[in-house]
């Protein structure tokens, strides 16, 4: 089962998926997030639908929307754009700590892991903000460097939520030290590494980091495709394939998005969701990788990574 914003679908319906994209983001602090009305939502749908249509034309059926609450997550907009385009959209529960905690409401910054977890588990049990829509995964993030106290509480909360709901955890990292910190807390909390996706792993250019985390059983997400030189990702994927750990790698663009508060969502800086299909897959095929590798990276791995089940370590 996969929980999309239009309801549960069978995982066989998922097809090719992009595991980390954004449709709409609001960079205002948590306590100053814009309140959207119908005309703003219509504008997001009008501006972003062509990008979803384009990804669909490349054969993708599912998009994991990685914008958490208090960073612009808006379920009503996601419902409308999913209806308009026919793309399956999966939203999330969780909080975003990166950026010095400004996307966590002041009233919650001292909260315990149990309090955070209860908010997220409630969204899974009862639906998000009265919409009845269930999150399909946990999205959280940490600040760079050694984990701060609040970063750590959020990761413990993600682990508790996982153990209660079976939702997979996707955690924004972006450098080695915080990524290893998150991985360590997940294991300490008795969660199997296969329940954690290390987001932005491709920002770390150290192969031993990649291979050791893959060998421990974590998922690595290479979601800067189109932002880094094509050759970089081709090399990275070739190396993990050579070491036999390509079954724990995920690809995406971290692209989009409508920025709330900017004229027409700042549409001139939007990026399409197409570099994986347009450039990376053809480059891998030119290296001799066949359709089975494309299937593994874009269909099988996302399906396995996000399958809802409790994974105890
Ligand atoms: Zn992102």
């Amino acid at each position: 089962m996969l929980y999309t914003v239009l309801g549960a679908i069978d995982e066989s319906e998922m097809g090719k998926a992009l595991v980390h994209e954004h449709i709409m983001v609001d960079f205002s602090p948590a306590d100053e997030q814009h309140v959207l009305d119908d005309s703003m939502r219509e504008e997001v749908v009008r501006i972003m639908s062509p990008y979803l249509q384009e990804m669909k034309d490349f054969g993708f059926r599912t998009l994991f929307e990685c914008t958490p609450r208090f960073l612009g997550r808006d379920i009503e907009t996601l419902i409308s754009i999913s209806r308009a385009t026919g793309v399956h959209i999966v939203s999330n529960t969780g909080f975003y700590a990166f950026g010095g905690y400004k996307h966590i409401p002041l009233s919650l910054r001292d909260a315990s892991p149990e309090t955070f977890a209860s908010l997220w588990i409630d969204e899974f049990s009862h639906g998000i903000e009265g919409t009845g829509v269930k999150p399909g995964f946990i999205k959280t993030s940490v600040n760079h460097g050694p984990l701060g106290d609040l970063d750590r509480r959020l990761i413990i909360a993600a682990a508790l939520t996982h153990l209660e709901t079976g939702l997979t955890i996707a955690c924004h990292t972006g450098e080695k030290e915080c990524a290893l910190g998150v991985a360590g807390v997940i294991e300490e909390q008795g969660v199997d590494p296969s329940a954690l996706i290390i987001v932005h792993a491709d920002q770390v250019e150290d192969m031993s980091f990649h291979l050791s985390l893959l060998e421990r059983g974590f998922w690595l997400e290479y979601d800067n495709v189109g932002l880094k030189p094509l050759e970089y990702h081709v090399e990275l994927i070739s190396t993990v394939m050579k070491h036999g750990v390509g079954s724990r790698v995920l690809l995406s663009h971290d692209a989009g998005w409508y920025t709330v508060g900017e004229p027409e969502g700042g549409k001139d800086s939007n990026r399409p969701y197409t570099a994986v299909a347009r450039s990376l897959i053809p480059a891998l095929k030119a290296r001799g990788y066949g359709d089975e590798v494309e299937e593994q990276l874009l269909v099988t791995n996302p399906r396995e990574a996000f399958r809802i089940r409790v994974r105890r370590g």
Side-chain angles (χ1 to χ4, degrees):
M1 236 16 148
L2 181 69
Y3 292 112
T4 78
V5 295
L6 297 185
I9 61 171
D10 189 84
E11 66 173 27
S12 62
E13 300 288 302
M14 187 166 146
K16 281 191 202 172
L18 290 172
V19 298
H20 186 129
E21 309 295 348
H22 299 273
I23 290 171
M24 187 177 85
V25 177
D26 183 347
F27 290 107
S28 315
D31 294 307
E32 296 164 29
Q33 291 273 295
H34 292 76
V35 177
L36 301 183
D37 60 23
D38 286 350
S39 75
M40 290 162 83
R41 290 185 170 116
E42 279 163 22
E43 184 173 275
V44 180
V45 173
R46 175 173 62 77
I47 289 174
M48 293 309 297
S49 287
Y51 293 95
L52 292 171
Q53 191 56 53
E54 193 182 23
M55 86 173 235
K56 215 174 139 192
D57 293 343
F58 275 105
F60 288 93
R61 286 161 70 181
T62 302
L63 178 146
F64 288 78
E65 219 287 344
C66 284
T67 311
R69 187 178 181 194
F70 306 120
L71 189 65
R73 184 191 67 177
D74 185 65
I75 299 298
E76 296 291 346
T77 303
L78 300 183
I79 290 172
S80 299
I81 201 164
S82 180
R83 285 207 178 110
T85 60
V87 173
H88 299 308
I89 296 174
V90 182
S91 187
N92 66 81
T93 192
F95 293 159
Y96 190 87
F98 184 70
Y101 311 113
K102 74 175 181 131
H103 296 293
I104 298 171
L106 277 170
S107 61
L108 284 170
R109 287 189 202 167
D110 294 326
S112 66
E114 289 76 15
T115 298
F116 289 126
S118 72
L119 294 169
W120 304 344
I121 292 166
D122 186 72
E123 289 195 332
F124 182 71
S125 308
H126 301 109
I128 298 170
E129 294 160 346
T131 60
V133 169
K134 285 182 189 283
F137 62 109
I138 301 159
K139 171 70 195 294
T140 187
S141 86
V142 292
N143 289 281
H144 288 177
L147 294 186
D149 178 60
L150 179 47
D151 299 295
R152 197 181 163 79
R153 277 182 276 135
L154 289 171
I155 302 309
I156 295 172
L160 297 173
T161 305
H162 168 76
L163 292 170
E164 185 74 23
T165 63
L167 291 174
T168 298
I169 303 160
C171 184
H172 165 119
T173 61
E175 58 81 45
K176 219 190 267 190
E177 192 171 13
C178 69
L180 293 171
V182 171
V185 173
I186 289 296
E187 285 181 325
E188 273 164 37
Q189 294 299 311
V191 173
D192 189 81
S194 64
L196 176 68
I197 300 168
I198 298 178
V199 172
H200 309 323
D202 49 351
Q203 291 181 12
V204 179
E205 298 184 7
D206 167 1
M207 257 345 280
S208 66
F209 166 88
H210 291 254
L211 294 173
S212 71
L213 286 167
L214 289 167
E215 276 152 16
R216 279 162 74 185
F218 294 100
W219 291 95
L220 294 192
E221 189 179 280
Y222 300 160
D223 49 35
N224 272 209
V225 178
L227 284 172
K228 284 186 175 283
L230 178 62
E231 257 325 285
Y232 171 74
H233 281 108
V234 171
E235 278 307 319
L236 197 51
I237 293 164
S238 301
T239 307
V240 299
M241 288 293 175
K242 219 176 293 164
H243 284 80
V245 281
S247 60
R248 287 194 282 281
V249 165
L250 300 163
L251 301 180
S252 214
H253 309 94
D254 195 11
W257 53 72
Y258 183 100
T259 305
V260 180
E262 290 186 14
E264 298 206 278
K267 65 177 183 176
D268 294 339
S269 52
N270 281 355
R271 285 184 295 115
Y273 311 118
T274 53
V276 167
R278 200 190 287 278
S279 312
L280 182 57
I281 296 294
L284 289 169
K285 289 191 173 170
R287 282 273 189 116
Y289 293 103
D291 290 343
E292 69 289 353
V293 168
E294 177 178 4
E295 176 84 5
Q296 175 176 45
L297 292 171
L298 303 182
V299 181
T300 316
N301 289 359
R303 194 177 62 212
E304 293 297 320
F306 287 94
R307 182 177 298 135
I308 299 172
R309 67 219 187 270
V310 174
R311 282 148 278 177
R312 287 181 202 283

